[in-house]
Amino acid sequence: MAEETISTAILTVATIIAAVVLLNAIYPALYSASGSILSMNSVTVDRMKTDLKVLTEYPGTDAEGHFHLVVWVKNTGDTVIKEADLGLTDVYLYPGNGVTTRISQAAGSRNWQYSILGGDGDNDWDPVETLQVTIDYGSPLPAGTARFRIALDNGVYAEDTFSW
């Protein structure tokens, strides 16, 4: 009887030690995985709350024959897009010639500028405000069909196809 008690006690202590060793080995991995999951959850929630809608485009040419495009984009999501994030926004124009052009926000040929319409006075793009994007393509384009795309730094984008 004493032998059974000693054997049971030794097995119980060994089981507890094995459980503690296993927990010490697994806990750091679980902790780092939960941090990654929380980080991705935050990114996903940000994307889900962000939405854009291209309202309309107004293409045209200037006196030198250079293509210009004015596009109005509505912030239809719940996220305020900060002025600093607007500087990280990408604008693309696919004029139907097989080449998609990323338009730079820097001065020079093929650039774009923006202004916020219906804003509250700050330079952030709040929900329900409209962003007016003006593209100076810097060269002539033949009449036809083109596609405009605006992509925010978090990966959310809106695009529309138009003709001129």
Side-chain angles (χ1 to χ4, degrees), residues 49-55 71-87 89-91 112 114-133 148 150-153 156-158:
K49 288 184 172 184
T50 306
D51 198 14
L52 307 174
K53 172 80 173 143
V54 176
L55 300 176
V71 182
W72 292 272
V73 183
K74 177 77 82 173
N75 181 352
T76 56
D78 293 333
T79 302
V80 173
I81 300 162
K82 300 291 185 190
E83 180 180 15
D85 294 334
L86 281 172
T89 299
D90 292 324
V91 170
W112 69 280
Y114 71 89
S115 59
I116 297 173
L117 307 177
D120 56 4
D122 62 4
N123 290 326
D124 297 335
W125 188 15
D126 299 324
V128 308
E129 292 180 349
T130 301
L131 189 73
Q132 178 178 317
V133 177
F148 166 82
I150 183 168
L152 300 177
D153 65 325
V156 174
Y157 68 90

Side-chain angles (χ1 to χ4, degrees), residues 29-47:
L30 289 176
Y31 183 75
S32 66
S34 68
S36 299
I37 291 170
L38 289 175
S39 174
M40 286 307 298
N41 184 39
S42 174
V43 169
T44 303
V45 167
D46 181 44
R47 284 186 179 174

Side-chain angles (χ1 to χ4, degrees), residues 5-38:
T5 306
I6 292 174
S7 297
T8 304
I10 290 173
L11 287 175
T12 303
V13 168
T15 303
I16 291 172
I17 290 172
V20 168
V21 167
L22 185 64
L23 183 63
N24 284 337
I26 292 177
Y27 183 73
L30 289 176
Y31 183 75
S32 66
S34 68
S36 299
I37 291 170
L38 289 175

